[in-house]
Amino acid sequence: MDSDNPNNKPRWQTANKNFYKKYKDERKQLKDEMTKAENMLWEKLRNKQLGVKFRRQHIIDFYIPDFVALSIKLIIEVDGKIHQLKKGEDEERTKRLAVIGYKVIRFTNEEVENDIEKVVLKIKKEVDKLTPPNLPKGEEFRT
């Protein structure tokens, strides 16, 4: 059994089947070419440092979010300058992900690069809010 996999579905089943086939190579490229801010944040999220497992560039529905904790349905996005131009698209994406049960929190590259500890503290507060109170520290649960 895979403890960080809600409903014990294969990981690719969080994606739209047709989208996954078309974008799995792009997902790999995004993973291999993370921005400075994404790399900084990944160093703080990886290995269950905040109590849950985060994945990088994991396909969900029609999207490839920067980071996701599947067990608590929390998505973390790190937005560069291009996102200022795509604000409407980002809002639609956030709404769609909320409809399927995900909470999305966003940070700018500058927030991550200039005050990583403040960003991590905000993420930790969300993790704590979304994690059931009886879950032992560092363990996962299934939805």
Side-chain angles (χ1 to χ4, degrees):
M1 292 234 169
D2 189 352
S3 64
D4 71 312
N5 187 352
N7 304 319
N8 210 27
K9 290 182 180 179
R11 286 179 204 27
W12 55 266
Q13 284 189 3
T14 59
N16 172 283
K17 184 171 73 172
N18 296 321
F19 183 85
Y20 183 85
K21 288 177 185 176
K22 186 175 178 182
Y23 287 93
K24 66 182 181 179
D25 292 335
E26 181 178 335
R27 173 198 170 267
K28 183 181 179 337
Q29 182 179 357
L30 288 169
K31 222 174 155 177
D32 292 342
E33 299 173 8
M34 292 193 324
T35 66
K36 176 184 175 184
E38 288 169 344
N39 274 311
M40 287 175 66
L41 189 52
W42 178 238
E43 288 304 314
K44 301 292 186 175
L45 298 177
R46 62 190 308 207
N47 299 324
K48 297 184 184 180
Q49 292 178 72
L50 299 185
V52 294
K53 180 172 182 158
F54 278 92
R55 298 180 172 281
R56 297 177 291 161
Q57 311 298 337
H58 181 85
I59 300 174
I60 296 173
D61 198 31
F62 295 96
Y63 308 107
I64 308 174
D66 295 326
F67 306 101
V68 61
L70 291 173
S71 64
I72 58 173
K73 292 192 165 188
L74 176 63
I75 291 173
I76 311 297
E77 295 282 20
V78 180
D79 296 338
K81 295 207 183 299
I82 189 73
H83 288 270
Q84 293 171 354
L85 303 173
K86 298 167 64 175
K87 197 167 185 116
E89 288 177 39
D90 285 345
E91 288 171 3
E92 278 304 308
R93 173 182 167 128
T94 297
K95 286 178 189 174
R96 170 69 186 149
L97 289 165
V99 165
I100 60 174
Y102 288 86
K103 165 101 188 216
V104 178
I105 56 176
R106 296 183 169 281
F107 300 96
T108 64
N109 282 345
E110 291 77 18
E111 285 177 292
V112 174
E113 290 175 18
N114 295 332
D115 198 350
I116 187 78
E117 296 308 321
K118 185 176 179 182
V119 168
V120 169
L121 185 60
K122 286 180 182 179
I123 295 169
K124 179 63 176 148
K125 285 181 182 178
E126 287 300 323
V127 166
D128 290 347
K129 273 198 277 187
L130 296 170
T131 302
N134 60 345
L135 186 70
K137 194 168 186 82
E139 292 195 23
E140 301 284 326
F141 71 99
R142 288 185 191 76
T143 55

